[in-house]
Every structure is written in C-alpha cells, then in structure tokens.
C-alpha cells in the first residue's frame, strides 16, 4: 500500500515537471519521496497547475468551491472528502468523467464496472447514468451545475468502490491516475511504463495487462528504429514461390515487430514467410490466405508509433474491466466481431457475432448470464417504434399483422409493440439475458447470411450470435434435463419459455482493438466505433 501511495505522488511530480507520467504504477524508484508519507499514509498532494485548457484531457473544469459545497451537502466524512480533493488536485480540478461532448470513455468504463460489482447503489445517479449511457450524444456546458453534481457523485462512487477491493486493478491508492489528466507524448509515456514503472502486484497478476505491456515493448522499439521502411503499396498480389527484392524488404519489415524471424533476408517467398504472413493476417482480422495483398501491406505500413498509441489506449481500457475468471466464462470483443467461450478442462470455442452499429454501440461491461429464453417475444424499444414502425404503420394499415407484431399497451401516439415468437422473429429462436445498465443481451437471428460480412456492426445495440444452439448447450450444460434435443425443441416451439441458469455464467463485453492472446501473440483490429480516435485526441500531443 505504501509503495502505491508513493507512486502516485511521484506521478504528480513527474507530470508537473515535464508532462511525463503513468496511469499504471510507479514511474521511478525514488525512496527519497518517502518523507512525505507519514505513518498513517497521509500524502501531501500537489496541485498540477501545468494542466491547462489547452492540454487537459477534458475541456471542463470544476470550481473548487463547488467541490466544497458538494462535500458539505452530501455530508461526506473526512476521509472521503480528502480523497475527493486529492483526486481533483492531481487533475488541476479538471473533470474526469465528462467533456463538453458527454461521457468520457473512462466514465462509461467505470459505470459498466460499478454497475456489475458495486454493493452500494445511488439510485438517482443510477437512473441518470443509465439514461446518459443509452444516448447517442450529450452536449454539456461549463455552467451546467447538474453535470457538476453528477461528476462529483461519480468520483465519490469511485472512492467508495475502490475502498471495497472489488477489482484487482482499482484501489484507494491508485484512483488518482486511472483517468488521464494531461495530453502526453505517446513515446515518452511508453518509455515511462516500460522502463521506469515498477508494477505493483495488482498489475503484475493481471494477464491481460502484462501480455499487452510486453507487446508495447516490441512496438516501442520498432517506433525508435529509424531504419524501418514503408513497403510499396502498389504491388500486385504476391504468392509463395515468388522471388523479388520486395520479399527481402517484407521480411525485414515483419522482423522489426516480431512477426518474422530476424535472420532470414533472402528474396524468395518461402514456407516460413508464408506461415508468418498467414499468422499476421489472422491476428489483424484479414483473410488468412498467405497471399500478400494491398490490405496486408496497409496493415504492415501502419506506423509503429500509431500502434504504440493504440496499445496505450487499450492498456487504459484494461483497468476498467474486471479480470475474467480462469475458466467458465464468455468474452465478447466488439472490434473482432467474435465471441469466445472458456470452459473447464481447456474446453474452448468461438463464434462470429454481430454488434451494434455506430450510434447504437454495444457497451463495455462485465456481468453473468442468468436466463435463457427460448422462442422469445421481442419487446420493441420505443426508439424503434417511434422512428421505424409508426411511419411504416401510416403507410400500411396491415403492417403489424404482416410482421407478426401486436400492440400490448402504451398510447395512441406511442404504443408498446412486441413481435411474436416464430422463425422470423428478430431475436431468432433464443436469447441470453444478463442484468446490466445498458439494456444489452445476446440473441439468435433469422438473418444468418449477415455473419459472412466482414463489417458486422449492424444491430441496434444487442449482440447476435452465430451458433446459438451451441452457446445454449454450454450455458445449460450442468442442467442435465436440457439435452441437445430438448434445446432444439424449445427453440422451435413457437412458445416463449424462460430457463433460469442455476450457475450464472460470467460474461465480459470488451472493446479491445489491441490485445495479446493466451500465447502472447498480439492482435489488432479496426476501431469500429471510433473510440480509439476520440481517446487518442484527448490523451496524446501532436
């Protein structure tokens, strides 16, 4: 604990002096800082006045008087009050959870984490956050006192959450640098993490974090390699067996990032390069043909410094996701359009998914699947009724009957409508429920052809799964009465049936555009919702 507190103070000092710091742990080994931590771990926090409107992560700032008013109004204890002040001192009283454009990525990440694991709930805050989470856009002004209240309530919830030790990566001693405060040079930040940070045990035991940090070292070195050259992008497809000077350049380029053995500089496209190209394509979401195409070259030509930025953004995302258990869990990664299942005894499988299209983006959070609903009704969201169904009903009075829908309440101006069970039901023949603030669940779909598309950001926000029978069988595997035959019958019964899962299955919804798999192999995917782009603009200079 003492080392972590010292680390946070070192961070403040480093950020104030030269703009270099870390959100991830000790920035340096400086025992001389210990004199500012007394026996009760009371830290002297320094306000970082080098943070300005021009270089801050957020473009909203608090009045310190508003913070004092909040503490008094909420009747907060001395410990919480001190931690609130310290949290904002480090940030020069800059907002952590909002910008003028709405919730920050960390705001969404914390709320997803908090909603699934926190014991104490603020019902008013929960209702407001659930509304904000589901809005496509929110505009906030500096003078909006309501958002000042919400900002401070979220930080108070973070302090309470951290004190509960419910997540391996968040504790009372490190909350001050979980949210970026100031734009930094990406290479300097990477250098700090790689060479001056001493990982505490909370980071070192998280495999997702440590594996990605190892990959950061590879791309940091590649970005510093002045000899690294771009590959020509105007070449035709190149297949195994071809001999050309380009092959030597390709091998050298792949070797700089560990994607190929470094000692082969021949000009022939040999078997070892063929296997390396296929592996590279697979890890970058490309068709793993082994044929060097323009898309393969484009992926190789992404500047290493851009990959450094991408890895840093995803390292911060790791902090807001509760680590998945070692077995018996489901992981969805939105940018890869894939669902991964980890069972007992190394039982693993995966399947393609369809996720929310841009503007209805599937959120990041952790929870547990506790219900399987066979032959489900679809209770159509109000926004779809208002924007899609009502206009269609005006054009065709028989629209609902033709679409197997019925009105089950509401008003004339906004009826409540549901789609009946059946083979054409938009949810398909089964859905999988897990309580969350984002109104997200997984389900089947009658449109199986969509899984063949490369870009599968197509839904209204929920997650369509490619093999629902297999997923249902895994979730209900310990409920012996649910045989494969019974599952198939229930999926085709045309009558809704809800099954409670006796052992709820942990599920994690991720947005990782860079991650390392269990074998340590680095994967990249496209930024399908543009979240990397927005966060990079806040995090990095230049």
């Amino acid at each position: 604990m003492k080392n972590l507190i010292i680390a946070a103070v070192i961070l403040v000092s480093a950020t104030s002096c030269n703009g270099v710091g870390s959100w991830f742990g000790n920035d340096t080994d400086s025992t001389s800082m210990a004199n500012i931590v007394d026996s009760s771990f009371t830290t002297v926090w320094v306000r970082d006045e080098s943070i300005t409107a021009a270089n801050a992560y957020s473009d909203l700032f608090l009045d310190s008087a508003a913070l004092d008013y909040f503490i008094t109004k909420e009747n907060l204890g001395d410990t919480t009050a001190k931690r609130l002040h310290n949290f904002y001192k480090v940030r020069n009283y800059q907002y952590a959870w909002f910008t003028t454009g709405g919730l920050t990525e960390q705001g969404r990440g914390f709320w997803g984490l908090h909603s699934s694991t926190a014991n104490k709930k603020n019902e008013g805050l929960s209702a407001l956050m659930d509304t904000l989470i589901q809005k496509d856009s929110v505009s906030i002004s500096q003078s909006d006192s309501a958002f000042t209240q919400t900002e401070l309530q979220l930080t108070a919830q973070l302090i309470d959450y951290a004190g509960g030790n419910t997540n391996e990566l968040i504790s009372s001693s490190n909350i001050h640098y979980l949210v970026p405060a100031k734009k930094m040079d990406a290479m300097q930040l990477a250098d700090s993490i790689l060479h001056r940070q001493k990982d505490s045990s909370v980071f070192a035991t998280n495999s997702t974090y440590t594996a990605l940090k190892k990959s950061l070292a590879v791309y940091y070195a590649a970005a510093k390699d002045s000899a690294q050259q771009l590959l020509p992008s105007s070449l035709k497809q190149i297949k195994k067996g071809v001999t050309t000077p380009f092959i030597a350049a390709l091998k050298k380029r792949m070797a700089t990032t560990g994607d190929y053995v470094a000692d082969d500089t021949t000009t022939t496209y040999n078997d070892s390069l063929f296997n390396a190209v296929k592996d590279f394509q697979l890890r970058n979401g490309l068709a793993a043909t082994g044929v060097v195409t323009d898309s393969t070259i484009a992926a190789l030509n992404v500047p290493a410094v851009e990959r450094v930025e991408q890895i840093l953004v995803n390292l911060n995302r790791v902090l807001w996701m509760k680590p998945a258990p070692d077995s018996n869990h489901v992981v969805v990664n939105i940018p890869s359009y894939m669902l991964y299942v980890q069972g007992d005894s190394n039982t693993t499988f995966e399947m393609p998914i369809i996720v929310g299209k841009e503007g209805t983006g599937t959120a990041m959070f952790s929870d547990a699947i506790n219900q399987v609903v066979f032959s489900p009704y679809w209770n159509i969201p109000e926004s779809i009724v208002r924007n899609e169904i009502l206009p269609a009903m005006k054009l065709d009075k028989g629209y609902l009957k033709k679409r197997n829908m019925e009105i089950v309440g509401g008003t004339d101006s906004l009826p409540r409508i549901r789609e009946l069970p059946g083979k054409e039901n938009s949810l398909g023949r089964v859905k999988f429920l897990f309580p969350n603030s984002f109104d997200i669940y997984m389900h089947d779909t009658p449109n199986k052809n969509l899984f063949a598309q490369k870009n599968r950001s197509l839904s209204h926000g929920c997650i369509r799964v490619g093999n629902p029978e297999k997923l249902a069988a895994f979730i209900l595997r310990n409920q012996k009465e649910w045989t494969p035959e019974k599952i198939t019958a229930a999926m085709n019964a045309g009558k809704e049936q809800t099954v409670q899962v006796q052992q709820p299955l942990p599920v994690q919804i991720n947005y990782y555009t860079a991650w390392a798999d269990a074998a340590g192999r680095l994967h990249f995917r496209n930024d399908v919702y543009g979240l990397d782009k927005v966060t990079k603009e806040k995090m990095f200079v230049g």
Side-chain angles (χ1 to χ4, degrees):
M1 176 70 77
K2 183 175 180 179
N3 288 339
L4 284 173
I5 295 174
I6 294 172
V9 177
I10 293 170
L11 166 72
V12 174
S13 175
T15 303
S16 299
C17 295
N18 56 23
V20 181
S22 170
W23 312 296
F24 310 106
N26 277 6
D27 198 49
T28 181
D29 181 16
S30 178
T31 54
S32 63
M33 299 298 292
N35 65 329
I36 62 175
V37 182
D38 64 24
S39 59
S40 62
F41 304 117
T42 302
T43 306
V44 178
W45 294 90
V46 179
R47 179 174 180 176
D48 188 355
E49 295 182 347
S50 70
I51 297 174
T52 67
N55 63 21
Y57 184 76
S58 174
D59 54 0
L60 292 172
F61 285 80
L62 289 167
D63 185 329
S64 58
L67 177 55
D68 291 330
Y69 175 75
F70 174 80
I71 290 169
T72 301
K73 183 171 75 70
E74 298 292 324
N75 194 29
L76 299 179
D78 289 344
T79 299
T80 300
K82 287 178 181 178
R83 286 176 175 164
L84 269 170
H85 271 292
N86 290 338
F87 183 86
Y88 286 105
K89 273 184 181 180
V90 173
R91 306 182 59 76
N92 201 19
Y93 292 93
Q94 167 199 178
Y95 277 50
W97 314 114
F98 295 98
T99 69
T100 53
L103 274 169
T104 62
E105 181 173 320
Q106 289 74 22
R108 288 178 176 272
F110 170 56
W111 194 249
L113 182 63
H114 170 277
S115 298
S116 63
T117 57
N119 293 322
K120 292 166 61 177
K121 306 280 186 177
N122 180 322
E123 296 301 330
L125 178 62
S126 295
L128 175 59
M129 288 299 294
D130 290 351
T131 300
L132 291 174
I133 285 287
Q134 296 184 39
K135 285 188 175 181
D136 289 345
S137 63
V138 179
S139 180
I140 303 172
S141 70
Q142 181 70 54
S143 60
D144 194 332
S145 59
F147 278 99
T148 301
Q149 172 82 3
T150 305
E151 163 76 20
L152 294 172
Q153 284 180 325
L154 282 171
T155 306
Q157 290 285 309
L158 174 68
I159 291 168
D160 179 72
Y161 175 86
N165 294 318
T166 51
N167 185 337
E168 293 178 15
L169 295 182
I170 295 180
S171 68
S172 297
S173 57
N174 72 4
I175 61 173
H176 308 88
Y177 48 89
L178 287 170
V179 184
K182 184 178 180 180
K183 292 180 180 179
M184 301 179 183
D185 177 86
M187 291 293 286
Q188 287 182 310
L189 177 57
D191 178 71
S192 174
I193 292 170
L194 293 170
H195 302 128
R196 292 193 291 277
Q197 168 183 315
K198 284 191 173 181
D199 284 334
S200 66
S201 59
V202 293
F203 301 122
T205 58
N206 184 275
S207 59
T208 305
Y209 171 81
T210 54
L212 196 53
K213 181 179 173 181
K214 288 180 181 177
S215 298
L216 175 64
V218 173
Y219 276 85
Y220 173 80
K224 291 181 71 67
D225 183 358
S226 60
Q228 190 178 58
Q229 300 292 321
L230 293 179
L231 297 170
S233 57
S234 58
L235 296 175
K236 295 181 180 180
Q237 294 184 353
I238 298 177
K239 301 179 180 180
K240 187 172 65 171
V242 170
T243 298
T244 170
F246 168 79
I247 298 301
L250 173 63
K251 290 176 177 178
K252 182 177 180 181
R253 176 66 181 80
M254 293 182 69
T256 62
T257 50
D259 296 305
Y260 189 63
V261 292
D263 57 352
D264 178 9
T265 59
T266 63
T267 59
T268 298
Y269 194 158
N270 51 19
D271 286 340
S272 58
L273 180 61
F274 177 75
N275 292 330
V277 168
K278 283 183 65 177
D279 184 65
F280 177 86
Q281 291 169 330
L282 179 68
R283 292 183 292 104
N284 282 266
L286 305 172
T289 63
V291 177
V292 179
T293 61
D294 54 352
S295 58
T296 305
I297 294 174
L300 285 164
N301 278 341
V302 174
V305 69
E306 288 188 19
R307 293 304 196 192
V308 168
E309 292 178 348
Q310 188 175 358
I311 293 170
L312 289 170
V313 166
N314 283 274
L315 271 173
N316 188 256
R317 283 188 186 128
V318 170
L319 304 182
W320 300 105
M321 293 301 294
K322 186 177 181 180
D326 292 334
S327 62
N328 296 323
H329 66 270
V330 172
V331 174
V332 167
N333 190 40
I334 296 165
S336 63
Y337 303 123
M338 293 297 292
L339 177 149
Y340 310 91
V341 174
Q342 175 70 55
D344 290 321
S345 303
N346 296 319
T347 302
T348 60
F349 61 89
E350 60 186 47
M351 64 184 67
I353 58 171
I354 294 168
V355 301
K357 58 189 174 183
E358 188 175 4
T360 56
T362 307
M364 286 184 67
F365 61 93
S366 301
D367 221 294
I369 299 170
N370 63 359
Q371 290 183 338
V372 177
V373 183
F374 294 111
S375 297
Y377 287 96
W378 181 33
N379 296 303
I380 303 173
E382 287 185 1
S383 60
I384 298 176
V385 172
R386 182 185 299 108
N387 299 327
E388 300 178 27
I389 295 178
L390 288 180
M393 290 171 61
K394 290 180 180 179
L395 296 174
D396 181 359
K397 294 186 181 299
Y399 178 84
L400 292 184
K401 185 176 181 179
K402 292 176 183 177
R403 296 302 182 101
N404 205 29
M405 297 177 181
E406 63 181 6
I407 296 174
V408 291
T411 64
D412 290 340
S413 59
L414 187 61
R416 285 192 291 114
I417 298 175
R418 69 180 181 180
E419 186 177 15
L420 300 171
K423 63 180 181 179
E424 297 302 320
N425 184 284
S426 298
L427 303 186
R429 299 167 297 158
V430 62
K431 67 178 178 180
F432 309 93
L433 302 182
F434 35 98
N436 62 84
S437 301
F438 308 92
D439 198 23
I440 300 295
Y441 50 90
M442 297 188 292
H443 62 88
D444 182 22
T445 177
N447 300 314
K448 305 294 187 183
N449 60 304
L450 297 177
F451 289 104
Q453 295 189 20
K454 182 178 179 180
N455 180 355
R456 297 196 294 274
S457 302
L458 304 169
S459 77
H460 282 90
C462 290
I463 300 162
R464 308 178 199 175
V465 297
N467 193 337
E469 294 96 336
K470 189 170 186 176
L471 183 59
F474 180 80
I475 293 170
L476 299 174
R477 67 197 183 283
N478 295 321
Q479 294 171 235
K480 300 304 183 183
E481 71 275 19
W482 283 100
T483 62
E485 294 76 17
K486 187 174 181 179
I487 288 173
T488 299
M491 289 177 67
N492 293 284
K495 180 180 179 181
E496 186 174 86
Q497 180 179 5
T498 299
V499 181
Q500 299 294 326
V501 180
Q502 292 175 0
Q503 297 176 341
L505 182 67
V507 60
Q508 189 174 87
I509 314 298
N510 290 332
Y511 189 92
Y512 291 144
T513 61
W515 76 96
D517 62 24
R521 297 154 67 241
L522 183 62
H523 296 248
F524 291 113
R525 289 297 188 275
N526 291 334
D527 182 20
V528 295
Y529 291 160
L531 300 184
D532 281 12
K533 181 177 183 296
V534 172
T535 303
K536 284 180 184 180
E537 289 173 353
K538 293 184 176 74
M539 281 178 59
F540 304 122
V541 296

